[in-house]
Amino acid sequence: MSEASKRFPLTLSNVVEGRPKEGRQKPGAAKVATPQTATRNAAQHQQRPVAVKPAAVAVSLPATPAQPARNGAAVPDSVRGAMVARLAKQGIADRTVLAAMEAVPRHLFVEPAMASQAYIDASLPIGHQQTISQPYIVARMIEVMRDNQQQGKLERVLEIGTGCGYQAAVLSLVAKEVYSIERIKPLHELAKSNLRPLRIPNIRLHYGDGMLGLLQAAPFDGIILAAAGLEVPQALLEQMSVGGRLVAPVGGERQVLQLIERVSRFEWTRTTLEDCHFVPLKSGTV
Ligand code: SAH
């Protein structure tokens, strides 16, 4: 599509470098399977007081949108703060991720009638039988992607399944360049109109089949799939940089979150993380 020929950055998003996070995963831990769900996670953490200081990490979006958002509903900052505190209790420990979740006004990505539900830990409908992912899983996937050998530094990331554009906005605060592909044209347009008022310069939205990846922008340090396939498309594995991390839901009725790391030119490792539930990954465009 035409955006492919334009140079970075476009007018959509702003660049904020990811910061190192504490407690990175040990090399070699990659093949351990750790089944856990958001609920189990929450139960495990609820006894432990968690100090969340996301404000200590400098991530921000422009304070005043250039034009009124389609959803002007006022949602107090404290509601988003409560969501972030809940994410920490659910086990999200990466402060950069928590800060990014705090910075993005999630209610602007759902229908005005649903704005009051935007910060509950649930996926919500965005039309065309698709959903905005639940906050926990958005944060979790980004946390896993950032847990790399570069202390969380991410140059270029790819998201498959833009939907309403929410996760792309969160990603724009942890990576230098964000590419996001959507196969349903009206959702691609919806994401554009949701993101435009936020004026984030480092997001590039593409309309197309994300199963093919985005060869012209590859390789990617991180790839996130927001839809579940029975397996991870080969093209995406090939478009990872060495040291890159891909996080994807895999499965049909029963799905698990998988982390794939490219350890060398010809070698990838796979780790199964936890159960999850996503809309299906489909080929082609509509
Ligand atoms: N990232 C979104 C989640 C959107 S739901 C968020 O921030 O909440 C997943 C999206 O993946 C849907 O919009 C669906 O249309 C899209 N999708 C499914 N298969 C795809 C494919 N092959 N290429 C691109 N997008 C795809």
Side-chain angles (χ1 to χ4, degrees), residues 57-283:
V57 181
V59 296
S60 64
L61 291 169
T64 319
Q67 57 200 72
R70 93 192 151 103
N71 185 347
V75 174
D77 287 351
S78 58
V79 176
R80 201 146 65 238
M83 176 189 79
V84 170
R86 191 182 60 226
L87 290 172
K89 278 193 190 161
Q90 287 172 305
I92 306 298
D94 183 337
R95 287 186 178 182
T96 298
V97 175
L98 293 170
M101 296 293 290
E102 173 119 46
V104 178
R106 182 172 163 90
H107 62 285
L108 300 183
F109 292 84
V110 300
E111 284 295 324
M114 272 187 288
S116 65
Q117 294 174 64
Y119 296 97
I120 63 173
D121 197 30
S123 55
L124 296 169
I126 54 171
H128 306 272
Q129 297 172 309
Q130 306 303 322
T131 55
I132 178 173
S133 303
Q134 67 173 127
Y136 168 78
I137 204 73
V138 170
R140 177 74 175 130
M141 288 198 288
I142 298 176
E143 179 174 70
V144 171
M145 183 179 68
R146 269 176 46 80
D147 195 12
N148 60 15
Q149 301 292 323
Q150 278 71 48
Q151 286 76 46
K153 193 162 170 281
L154 295 163
E155 287 290 321
R156 204 173 282 186
V157 302
L158 174 67
E159 178 193 34
I160 310 303
T162 317
C164 60
Y166 172 70
Q167 185 158 30
V170 180
L171 285 169
S172 78
L173 297 172
V174 306
K176 208 162 170 196
E177 300 174 5
V178 178
Y179 294 80
S180 183
I181 311 177
E182 174 55 55
R183 67 180 287 275
I184 300 178
K185 186 79 183 218
L187 289 179
H188 167 72
E189 297 297 338
L190 174 70
K192 275 209 274 195
S193 65
N194 284 342
L195 288 165
R196 196 172 295 120
L198 297 175
R199 303 208 302 169
I200 310 176
N202 61 330
I203 300 179
R204 294 188 65 176
L205 300 181
H206 288 258
Y207 169 58
D209 181 357
M211 290 172 77
L212 307 173
L214 201 60
L215 198 53
Q216 65 267 37
F220 299 97
D221 298 330
I223 300 181
I224 283 183
L225 280 80
L230 293 178
E231 53 190 35
V232 175
Q234 184 66 26
L236 299 180
L237 300 180
E238 281 161 13
Q239 291 176 27
M240 297 168 71
S241 56
V242 172
R245 292 163 78 90
L246 177 151
V247 188
V250 177
E253 216 142 272
R254 184 178 169 226
Q255 300 169 7
V256 288
L257 200 61
Q258 286 193 349
L259 161 66
I260 295 175
E261 292 175 276
R262 187 169 194 172
V263 289
S264 71
R265 218 179 136 201
F266 302 107
E267 204 185 344
W268 289 257
T269 62
R270 186 188 304 261
T271 310
T272 296
L273 299 171
E274 61 201 68
D275 290 347
C276 58
H277 187 70
F278 280 81
V279 295
L281 185 69
K282 294 186 175 170
S283 61

Side-chain angles (χ1 to χ4, degrees), residues 6-34:
K6 295 185 191 162
R7 285 189 53 231
F8 225 90
L10 288 183
T11 50
L12 281 178
S13 40
N14 77 343
V15 183
V16 185
E17 276 286 329
R19 295 280 177 88
K21 61 161 283 210
E22 306 112 50
R24 294 198 310 104
Q25 183 185 310
K26 286 191 261 22
K31 284 164 190 154
V32 182
T34 340

